[in-house]
Amino acid sequence: MDTINDDQYSPQAVEAAAQQYWQTHKSFKVVEDSSKEKFYCLSMFPYPSGHLHMGHVRNYAIGDVISRFQRMQGKNVLQPMGWDAFGLPAENAAMQRKVAPAKWTYSNIDYMRKQLQQLGYAYDWDREIATCHPDYYRWEQWFFTRLFAKGLVYKKEAEVNWDPVDQTVLANEQVVDGRGWRSGALVERRKIPQWFIKITDYAQELLDDLSKLDEWPEKVRVMQSNWIGRSEGIELSFDVAAQTAEQYRSMSVYTTRPDTLMGVTYVAVAPQHPLALLAAENNPELAEFVRQQTNIKMAEAEMATMEKLGKPTGLQAIHPVTGELLPIYIANFVLMSYGSGAVMAVPAHDQRDYEFARKYGLPIKQVIRPADAATAACDLESAAFTDKGILINSSEFDGLHFQDAFDRIEAWLKQRNKGEKVVNFRLRDWGVSRQRYWGAPIPIINCPDCGPVAVPEKDLPVLLPEDVEFDESGSPLKKMPSFYEAKCPACGGDAQRETDTFDTFMESSWYYARFACRDLSDGMLDKRADYWLPVDQYVGGVEHAILHLLYARFFHKLLRDEGLLNSDEPFARLLTQGMVLKDGSKMSKSKGNTVDPLPLIEKYGADTVRLFMMFASPPDQTLEWSDSGVEGGYRFLRKLWRTIASHDHTNTTALQADKLNAEQKQLRYKTHSTLEKVTDDCARRQTFNTAIAAVMELVNTLHKFLEQSADCNDVETRILDNSVVNEALSIIVQVLAPIVPHFSHVLWLQMGHTEAVIDSAWPSVDRSALQQDSVQIVVQVNGKLRARFEVEKNIEKSALEKLALDHEHVRKYTDGANIRKIIVVPGKLVNIVVAD
RNA sequence: GCCCGGGUGGCGAAAUUGGUAGACGCAAGGGACUUAAAAUCCCUCGGUAGUAAUACCGUACCGGUUCAAUUCCGGUCCCGGGCACCA
């Protein structure tokens, strides 16, 4: 190993020394401390795929910089790390390499932990969590049984991708072009019973509380809001003509546009709707249509271009107001899963209804006119008129605007028991069953007599057997009687254990809380969770903007309502970091443009890699990888190292602000204005790129100062020079400490400090150093820059105007012209407005 | 289609509240040191004209507001992300 050389920066030696220090001093172990303000900084934990990629390095560098900055602000900082350890890749590895998923996962964790430690992240490793460990997932199982008891979970049939050759369920990413990724067989949609958690019960609160998240990016809040998709409408019933069987006598539809009720010219139902099935019973052609439409997988991209198709059922609905008979169609654009699986079609005012009506020759009846036009004329030749407006052709509702019409029609329907206002959400309940092996077993026993029964607390955890044989079809749990044979906890009879496992989003929905008390053995969470939560700063990829963050917010509210927590939201401030790009596209194995962090760390050291990543762009923007940019960062550190190493730190004469000459004052001004900017950039703006740029400017200024100082022979001046240089250097080393922690650690000790730089307090700005005697003023003529000069700071406005007007460059443009106005921005600018 | 972002030198970017466009860095070119290379240091570096001082142009495009616009408003084009038959 290299040793630390005083003159030359040797990253390997420096990093080994700093890491050694942190380890022996347990520098990042943290406990609750009511005397300090707490700060919980969390980066999204990784899936242990085998090795870190650049996206991880960036994510964790950002989190680490924030953590270390907050620590120097005097906060009690918790920064934990763990592993999102369940998931499909472990099963694939098991099949490909004949290695048990648990073994594969744990060895990946060991390797990646070393990589993280190499990068010098300030984690409290005593709190490390691996979600595949029974100590973790037992509490998830326990909590699920609590939700079960509360009626917040239920079982229902839901579709899965079924591979008929491998006889197994496929995850969406295992379906390639509609075929199983291994077998190549056409994937079928199959319905099987699965567990759901009632996130829809919390839809309104999840939507409302978005307004509390004022330190989240607007973008993420909008995405969540759209995902929840709240709409207000009316559910109304249409009677179905000539039906004798009770269940077919009426149908209900949901509409957000009850104002268009009088424009309904047909009704459309989903292919899976009971009336569709009824009509298909004695009609082979309809049956075939229903079968076809049901079998089509929800292939996302094609849906957009999919042609609107339909068939008349031969049935008729009765218009609730006019009594008119309306044909009922089966239409492929109506979804059984939204509203009631049926829509009232208003072709004049809905684009889909319009296209469908055009195609099948159905009437188009205008009932809304534009609110701002004097006439009812609007062009229905090529498209529907979908704006809200004023009702026409609607008998007693004519002339009403949207909201009045909504209310009046709702009242009319309600009075006759034909409809009422309802709120609908796009959000669906959360399906948590996965037909996979490498996940947390769902703690339920299915009894032929009692139905599904929760595993009692004393029998938890339901352990996932770790030594398993993988053949290539389906979950091994289904072939292990020793796992699935069980006695019913309620009646004691023979029963079968659930062999499905949880969606891995379950584990990642509460890990942030468990970090507060991960050693707790007799409970899920304790009071420590309330000390640390909410997470003050959460950092992770924007790809988790919807699902993970929504599930975690939901889980937090579930935990709160179970009395385990007392806050409403898990993450106070959110930073979504941008992707790492190379040659303009995302780094990925398939594109072959990945850059492995390890060789870079070996060549330049972790600090250079961290510095480049923080410097190249703001954290929330994409980062364009550049080898020469890394080189530049290395150059900066080497140069700064030499400067500090060659500086005499033994001369520690106290700084005497009142004795400084102009140059010395100027350096102090630069030092403290930089400190002020860097502090703001790190805390409020989180633009670490500009913070680093500001430090680089200060270093450049310092170098010029040192050059001049070297030429000076006056002893008194040299001593004062040294004092302002000392101050600048120590501030530089401190403000860089969060970004290049090893570098700063070693230099700080070399500068003669006895405490570690991580334990030093962030320096404070000396306001008096920011006082300037003179300022630079720019002069514009008609907004164009014409001159600049220095003036005394407190100059009178009239004197300033005179100086500006007398300037030779200005007079070229003002002589002989008529001066109409002079605008003065104090301390900055004079703009002279002239006319010819 | 809808909803968000974004478009600034050769490149990554900066300009925080409308007030000096291009900070900081990379690349490039020139020079110093060196037998040489590496490293280091110095100079130039948006475009056009000019030895220069300087002038004109310039933040995707067109228009507007303003003493003043990269920043605000209206329209157009392009790029990125998200959502998507949601009634």
Short mmCIF file of all heavy atoms in Angstrom, two decimals, chain A residues 315-342:
data_model
loop_
_atom_site.label_atom_id
_atom_site.label_comp_id
_atom_site.label_asym_id
_atom_site.label_seq_id
_atom_site.Cartn_x
_atom_site.Cartn_y
_atom_site.Cartn_z
N LEU A 315 -79.95 -5.68 -27.82
CA LEU A 315 -80.69 -5.22 -26.64
C LEU A 315 -80.85 -3.71 -26.72
O LEU A 315 -80.11 -3.02 -27.42
CB LEU A 315 -79.94 -5.59 -25.36
CG LEU A 315 -79.63 -7.08 -25.17
CD1 LEU A 315 -78.66 -7.28 -24.02
CD2 LEU A 315 -80.92 -7.85 -24.94
N GLN A 316 -81.82 -3.20 -25.94
CA GLN A 316 -82.03 -1.76 -25.94
C GLN A 316 -82.15 -1.23 -24.52
O GLN A 316 -82.72 -1.88 -23.64
CB GLN A 316 -83.32 -1.43 -26.72
CG GLN A 316 -83.12 -1.61 -28.22
CD GLN A 316 -84.39 -1.34 -28.98
OE1 GLN A 316 -85.43 -1.91 -28.65
NE2 GLN A 316 -84.32 -0.49 -29.98
N ALA A 317 -81.60 -0.05 -24.33
CA ALA A 317 -81.72 0.62 -23.04
C ALA A 317 -82.74 1.75 -23.17
O ALA A 317 -82.95 2.28 -24.27
CB ALA A 317 -80.36 1.16 -22.62
N ILE A 318 -83.34 2.10 -22.03
CA ILE A 318 -84.36 3.16 -22.06
C ILE A 318 -83.76 4.43 -21.46
O ILE A 318 -83.24 4.41 -20.33
CB ILE A 318 -85.60 2.73 -21.26
CG1 ILE A 318 -86.18 1.45 -21.89
CG2 ILE A 318 -86.64 3.84 -21.21
CD1 ILE A 318 -87.15 0.73 -20.99
N HIS A 319 -83.79 5.52 -22.22
CA HIS A 319 -83.23 6.78 -21.74
C HIS A 319 -83.97 7.24 -20.48
O HIS A 319 -85.19 7.31 -20.49
CB HIS A 319 -83.33 7.85 -22.84
CG HIS A 319 -82.51 9.06 -22.53
ND1 HIS A 319 -82.87 10.00 -21.61
CD2 HIS A 319 -81.31 9.48 -23.03
CE1 HIS A 319 -81.96 10.95 -21.56
NE2 HIS A 319 -80.99 10.66 -22.42
N PRO A 320 -83.27 7.52 -19.40
CA PRO A 320 -83.96 7.81 -18.13
C PRO A 320 -84.84 9.06 -18.17
O PRO A 320 -85.78 9.16 -17.38
CB PRO A 320 -82.81 7.97 -17.14
CG PRO A 320 -81.60 8.22 -17.96
CD PRO A 320 -81.81 7.54 -19.27
N VAL A 321 -84.57 9.99 -19.06
CA VAL A 321 -85.38 11.21 -19.10
C VAL A 321 -86.43 11.12 -20.20
O VAL A 321 -87.62 11.31 -19.94
CB VAL A 321 -84.50 12.46 -19.32
CG1 VAL A 321 -85.36 13.72 -19.35
CG2 VAL A 321 -83.44 12.56 -18.23
N THR A 322 -86.01 10.79 -21.40
CA THR A 322 -86.94 10.84 -22.53
C THR A 322 -87.69 9.54 -22.75
O THR A 322 -88.71 9.52 -23.46
CB THR A 322 -86.17 11.14 -23.84
OG1 THR A 322 -85.26 10.06 -24.08
CG2 THR A 322 -85.39 12.43 -23.74
N GLY A 323 -87.18 8.44 -22.20
CA GLY A 323 -87.83 7.16 -22.44
C GLY A 323 -87.52 6.57 -23.81
O GLY A 323 -88.00 5.49 -24.15
N GLU A 324 -86.67 7.28 -24.55
CA GLU A 324 -86.26 6.82 -25.87
C GLU A 324 -85.54 5.47 -25.78
O GLU A 324 -84.84 5.20 -24.81
CB GLU A 324 -85.28 7.87 -26.41
CG GLU A 324 -85.16 7.95 -27.90
CD GLU A 324 -84.14 9.06 -28.29
OE1 GLU A 324 -83.93 9.99 -27.46
OE2 GLU A 324 -83.59 8.98 -29.39
N LEU A 325 -85.69 4.64 -26.83
CA LEU A 325 -84.98 3.36 -26.85
C LEU A 325 -83.62 3.54 -27.51
O LEU A 325 -83.52 4.08 -28.61
CB LEU A 325 -85.79 2.32 -27.63
CG LEU A 325 -87.05 1.80 -26.92
CD1 LEU A 325 -87.83 0.87 -27.83
CD2 LEU A 325 -86.69 1.10 -25.61
N LEU A 326 -82.57 3.09 -26.83
CA LEU A 326 -81.21 3.27 -27.33
C LEU A 326 -80.56 1.92 -27.53
O LEU A 326 -80.65 1.04 -26.67
CB LEU A 326 -80.38 4.05 -26.30
CG LEU A 326 -80.95 5.39 -25.82
CD1 LEU A 326 -80.18 5.88 -24.60
CD2 LEU A 326 -80.89 6.43 -26.95
N PRO A 327 -79.87 1.71 -28.67
CA PRO A 327 -79.21 0.43 -28.88
C PRO A 327 -78.04 0.23 -27.91
O PRO A 327 -77.35 1.20 -27.58
CB PRO A 327 -78.71 0.52 -30.34
CG PRO A 327 -78.63 1.98 -30.63
CD PRO A 327 -79.69 2.64 -29.81
N ILE A 328 -77.85 -1.00 -27.48
CA ILE A 328 -76.70 -1.32 -26.62
C ILE A 328 -75.67 -2.05 -27.46
O ILE A 328 -75.96 -3.07 -28.07
CB ILE A 328 -77.12 -2.21 -25.43
CG1 ILE A 328 -78.17 -1.50 -24.57
CG2 ILE A 328 -75.89 -2.56 -24.58
CD1 ILE A 328 -78.71 -2.34 -23.42
N TYR A 329 -74.46 -1.48 -27.49
CA TYR A 329 -73.36 -2.06 -28.26
C TYR A 329 -72.31 -2.66 -27.32
O TYR A 329 -72.12 -2.18 -26.19
CB TYR A 329 -72.66 -0.97 -29.10
CG TYR A 329 -73.30 -0.77 -30.46
CD1 TYR A 329 -74.55 -0.13 -30.57
CD2 TYR A 329 -72.66 -1.21 -31.62
CE1 TYR A 329 -75.14 0.05 -31.82
CE2 TYR A 329 -73.24 -1.03 -32.87
CZ TYR A 329 -74.48 -0.40 -32.97
OH TYR A 329 -75.05 -0.23 -34.19
N ILE A 330 -71.64 -3.68 -27.81
CA ILE A 330 -70.41 -4.10 -27.14
C ILE A 330 -69.29 -3.33 -27.84
O ILE A 330 -69.22 -3.32 -29.07
CB ILE A 330 -70.15 -5.61 -27.31
CG1 ILE A 330 -71.35 -6.42 -26.81
CG2 ILE A 330 -68.88 -6.02 -26.56
CD1 ILE A 330 -71.22 -7.92 -27.07
N ALA A 331 -68.43 -2.66 -27.06
CA ALA A 331 -67.37 -1.88 -27.69
C ALA A 331 -66.03 -2.20 -27.05
O ALA A 331 -65.93 -2.35 -25.82
CB ALA A 331 -67.67 -0.39 -27.54
N ASN A 332 -65.01 -2.31 -27.87
CA ASN A 332 -63.69 -2.70 -27.35
C ASN A 332 -63.00 -1.59 -26.58
O ASN A 332 -62.03 -1.84 -25.88
CB ASN A 332 -62.79 -3.22 -28.49
CG ASN A 332 -62.43 -2.14 -29.48
OD1 ASN A 332 -63.05 -1.07 -29.51
ND2 ASN A 332 -61.41 -2.40 -30.30
N PHE A 333 -63.51 -0.37 -26.68
CA PHE A 333 -62.85 0.71 -25.94
C PHE A 333 -63.41 0.92 -24.54
O PHE A 333 -62.94 1.78 -23.80
CB PHE A 333 -62.88 2.02 -26.75
CG PHE A 333 -64.24 2.63 -26.94
CD1 PHE A 333 -64.78 3.45 -25.97
CD2 PHE A 333 -64.98 2.37 -28.09
CE1 PHE A 333 -66.04 4.02 -26.15
CE2 PHE A 333 -66.23 2.94 -28.27
CZ PHE A 333 -66.77 3.77 -27.29
N VAL A 334 -64.41 0.13 -24.19
CA VAL A 334 -64.96 0.25 -22.83
C VAL A 334 -64.28 -0.78 -21.94
O VAL A 334 -64.17 -1.95 -22.29
CB VAL A 334 -66.48 0.05 -22.83
CG1 VAL A 334 -67.04 0.21 -21.42
CG2 VAL A 334 -67.15 1.03 -23.78
N LEU A 335 -63.79 -0.30 -20.80
CA LEU A 335 -63.03 -1.17 -19.89
C LEU A 335 -63.92 -1.67 -18.76
O LEU A 335 -64.56 -0.89 -18.07
CB LEU A 335 -61.87 -0.38 -19.27
CG LEU A 335 -60.88 0.25 -20.23
CD1 LEU A 335 -59.84 1.04 -19.45
CD2 LEU A 335 -60.21 -0.81 -21.08
N MET A 336 -63.91 -2.97 -18.56
CA MET A 336 -64.72 -3.55 -17.48
C MET A 336 -64.20 -3.08 -16.13
O MET A 336 -64.94 -3.01 -15.16
CB MET A 336 -64.66 -5.08 -17.58
CG MET A 336 -65.74 -5.79 -16.77
SD MET A 336 -67.41 -5.30 -17.27
CE MET A 336 -68.24 -5.26 -15.69
N SER A 337 -62.90 -2.74 -16.08
CA SER A 337 -62.29 -2.43 -14.78
C SER A 337 -62.50 -0.99 -14.32
O SER A 337 -62.07 -0.61 -13.24
CB SER A 337 -60.79 -2.71 -14.87
OG SER A 337 -60.23 -1.95 -15.92
N TYR A 338 -63.11 -0.17 -15.11
CA TYR A 338 -63.31 1.22 -14.68
C TYR A 338 -64.79 1.54 -14.63
O TYR A 338 -65.54 1.14 -15.53
CB TYR A 338 -62.60 2.19 -15.64
CG TYR A 338 -62.62 3.61 -15.15
CD1 TYR A 338 -61.73 4.04 -14.17
CD2 TYR A 338 -63.55 4.51 -15.65
CE1 TYR A 338 -61.76 5.33 -13.70
CE2 TYR A 338 -63.59 5.82 -15.18
CZ TYR A 338 -62.70 6.23 -14.21
OH TYR A 338 -62.73 7.51 -13.75
N GLY A 339 -65.21 2.27 -13.60
CA GLY A 339 -66.63 2.60 -13.45
C GLY A 339 -67.43 1.31 -13.38
O GLY A 339 -67.07 0.39 -12.66
N SER A 340 -68.50 1.23 -14.15
CA SER A 340 -69.33 0.02 -14.10
C SER A 340 -69.19 -0.80 -15.38
O SER A 340 -70.01 -1.68 -15.64
CB SER A 340 -70.79 0.41 -13.86
OG SER A 340 -71.16 1.43 -14.77
N GLY A 341 -68.18 -0.51 -16.16
CA GLY A 341 -67.97 -1.30 -17.38
C GLY A 341 -68.93 -0.96 -18.49
O GLY A 341 -69.10 -1.72 -19.44
N ALA A 342 -69.57 0.18 -18.35
CA ALA A 342 -70.53 0.61 -19.37
C ALA A 342 -70.52 2.13 -19.46
O ALA A 342 -70.29 2.80 -18.46
CB ALA A 342 -71.93 0.12 -19.02
#
